Amino acid sequence: MRYIKFKQEKEFKNMTSININKEMFGQLIHKEKPVLVDFWAPWCGYCRRIGAAYEKISEEYSDILIAGKVNIDEEPQIAEAEKIEIIPTLVLYRDGKAIDSIVAPESKIMIENFINEALEK
């Protein structure tokens, strides 16, 4: 995971997931590319377990989406605004709107299926 400053979408190509702060969140979800956001916390054991699968997804799907992570302890206002009550929750945004979400995905395959089904909407 890398902490980077938001500049242009091309900076996110071929990168693992990025840590998203409040300022970046509003800008990212309005990008042309869909944005997959993992709402998580460091104390959440299940969040850490699916972390590797999420990082693989962020690499493999970098051509079609931007993958980011919101630490709900560091950015509670984002989690509250997005009505995140259970973690991990993955939300896929397109054109500034949440198009679908999944809570506690069990595997990489489950995340991939979620992405593919959500992008068809």
Side-chain angles (χ1 to χ4, degrees), residues 78-94:
I78 299 173
E80 185 177 323
E82 296 301 306
K83 297 177 179 37
I84 303 300
E85 296 178 357
I86 300 170
I87 56 171
T89 295
L90 306 183
V91 181
L92 189 64
Y93 296 89
R94 183 171 40 206

Side-chain angles (χ1 to χ4, degrees), residues 25-72:
F25 183 78
Q27 295 174 350
L28 276 177
I29 66 170
H30 287 90
K31 286 293 176 189
E32 188 173 310
K33 238 184 199 186
V35 179
L36 181 64
V37 179
D38 176 13
F39 289 89
W40 74 289
W43 48 263
C44 169
Y46 193 81
C47 298
R48 291 192 313 266
R49 266 199 311 275
I50 68 158
Y54 187 77
E55 291 300 322
K56 282 242 186 247
I57 293 285
S58 72
E59 292 170 12
E60 293 173 9
Y61 284 73
S62 66
D63 288 342
I64 63 168
L65 60 79
I66 297 169
K69 296 174 80 89
V70 172
N71 179 334
I72 65 164

